[in-house]
Amino acid sequence: PLISSLLLFIPVCLWGDFPIYPKDWIGNLLSLQGIACAPVFETLWSLSYEVWFYILMCAVGYSILHKGTLKGYIGLITLIVSLAVFTKLESYYLFIWLIGAFGYFLIPHKSRILKYGAMILSLIFLIVMQLSSGGSRMLISVSQNSAHLLEIVFSSVFCIFMVQSVQNIPSTKFSKKLNRIGTHLAAFSYTLYLTHIPVRDILVRLGAPKSQELSISSVSLYILWLLLALLVAYCIYWIFERNTSKVKIFIKARITHENLNSNSDLQ
C-alpha cells in the first residue's frame, strides 16, 4: 500500500508542478519520515510510527528469546536504534500504542459497566480534545504537555471501550449483515487511508474544488468523490494489500522453520 500510494502521488506532483525530492521519497519508502526527511504527503506521517513500533517490539522479542547469542545482540542493537528513533519522533505515541497492545490482555472479560462507562468518558475526552485543538480555534486553552496527557488518557479509556466492543458477536440478521459489510470495507481501509490524499489532490487538479456552500449539488458531488476514492483504493488493494496474507504466511513459515532448527540444535 505504501508503494502504491507513493506511485499514485507522482501524477499529482507532475500536474501540480510540485517538486519531487528523491531523498524524501526514498526516506518515506524506508519509513524515515519525521526522522530524517519530511512526509511526501500528509497521511504518511503516521506510517513511520507504525513501522518503528513493530521494529521495536521485534527487537525486544529477539533480545529476550535469543539472549546471549548473536541474534540476541542484534536484537539489542536494534532495540537501542529504535529507542533512539523515538527521540526524533513523538515518544508519547509509543505509550498510546502500548496501551492498545496491552489492553487486549489486561481487560479480557466482558463488562457492560466498563463498556458504557468507557464510551461516555471517551466522548467527553474527545470533545475536550477537539475544543482544545488548533482546528477549533482553541476554544479551550491547554499546554502542549497537557494536550499529550489528554491524548494518553483518551486512548486509555477508548481502548477499554474497544476491547469490550469487539467481544460482541453479531447475533441478529441486521448485525450480521452490517458485520459483513464492515469486514469488506475494513479489508482495504489501510489502502484507503494511504491513497485518499493523492486521489483528493488529483480530483482538485481535474477541477473538483472544495464546495463553498451546503446544497444538494455539493453533497451529491461530495458523495461522488468519496465513491471515486473508495473505487481507486479498492483497485489498488486488489493489486497490493490483498496479497498481505501471502506475505504473512511466508514470514510465519520462515519463523516456524527457524524455531524448529533452533530447537533441534538445542537437543
Side-chain angles (χ1 to χ4, degrees):
L2 172 61
I3 295 172
S4 61
S5 63
L6 285 171
L7 291 175
L8 183 62
F9 200 63
I10 290 176
V12 176
C13 295
L14 296 176
W15 292 346
D17 295 325
F18 300 136
I20 297 177
Y21 300 111
K23 175 191 171 185
D24 288 348
W25 286 66
I26 294 172
N28 278 248
L29 277 173
L30 298 174
S31 296
L32 295 175
Q33 58 271 36
I35 305 165
C37 62
V40 171
F41 54 89
E42 295 99 306
T43 52
L44 293 184
W45 74 269
S46 66
L47 195 61
S48 56
Y49 284 90
E50 225 178 309
V51 169
W52 284 98
F53 289 155
Y54 289 123
I55 292 175
L56 186 145
M57 294 310 296
C58 181
V60 170
Y62 254 64
S63 302
I64 295 172
L65 294 175
H66 301 285
K67 185 178 180 180
T69 66
L70 177 61
K71 289 182 179 179
Y73 292 125
I74 292 174
L76 188 59
I77 293 170
T78 307
L79 178 59
I80 294 171
V81 171
S82 301
L83 292 174
V85 162
F86 279 98
T87 64
K88 291 284 188 179
L89 298 175
E90 294 283 2
S91 58
Y92 77 98
Y93 281 128
L94 178 59
F95 290 99
I96 291 175
W97 186 83
L98 289 172
I99 288 168
F102 288 116
Y104 177 81
F105 300 101
L106 297 178
I107 323 163
H109 302 296
K110 290 180 68 173
S111 168
R112 294 187 67 181
I113 296 175
L114 275 178
K115 178 182 175 181
Y116 292 110
M119 181 182 71
I120 294 170
L121 286 174
S122 295
L123 287 172
I124 292 171
F125 284 119
L126 183 61
I127 292 170
V128 174
M129 285 168 58
Q130 288 299 310
L131 293 178
S132 61
S133 68
S136 60
R137 300 180 183 178
M138 294 289 286
L139 296 179
I140 298 177
S141 180
V142 295
S143 65
Q144 187 178 37
N145 288 336
S146 297
H148 292 172
L149 180 61
L150 191 60
E151 285 189 61
I152 292 175
V153 174
F154 165 74
S155 301
S156 301
V157 293
F158 189 73
C159 175
I160 296 172
F161 171 66
M162 286 300 297
V163 171
Q164 292 296 318
S165 297
V166 297
Q167 296 183 69
N168 292 333
I169 300 172
S171 55
T172 65
K173 186 177 180 180
F174 174 76
S175 62
K176 288 179 180 179
K177 186 175 182 179
L178 187 65
N179 186 61
R180 282 195 298 271
I181 294 172
T183 300
H184 289 307
L185 289 174
F188 66 98
S189 61
Y190 189 60
T191 297
L192 178 63
Y193 171 72
L194 290 178
T195 60
H196 77 279
I197 292 296
V199 170
R200 179 204 66 185
D201 291 346
I202 289 173
L203 286 171
V204 170
R205 188 64 182 170
L206 292 174
K210 184 177 179 180
S211 299
Q212 300 299 317
E213 60 181 6
L214 187 65
S215 64
I216 295 176
S217 175
S218 64
V219 171
S220 299
L221 284 173
Y222 181 68
I223 293 172
L224 177 60
W225 307 148
L226 288 178
L227 291 175
L228 281 172
L230 286 168
L231 179 62
V232 171
Y234 186 75
C235 291
I236 293 175
Y237 153 80
W238 194 258
I239 301 171
F240 291 92
E241 192 180 1
R242 184 173 65 95
N243 298 302
T244 300
S245 58
K246 296 178 183 178
V247 177
K248 285 183 176 180
I249 291 170
F250 172 77
I251 293 173
K252 287 181 179 178
R254 290 294 300 271
I255 292 173
T256 302
H257 180 71
E258 181 181 320
N259 289 337
L260 289 174
N261 287 339
S262 297
N263 290 334
S264 61
D265 291 341
L266 289 173
Q267 291 173 357

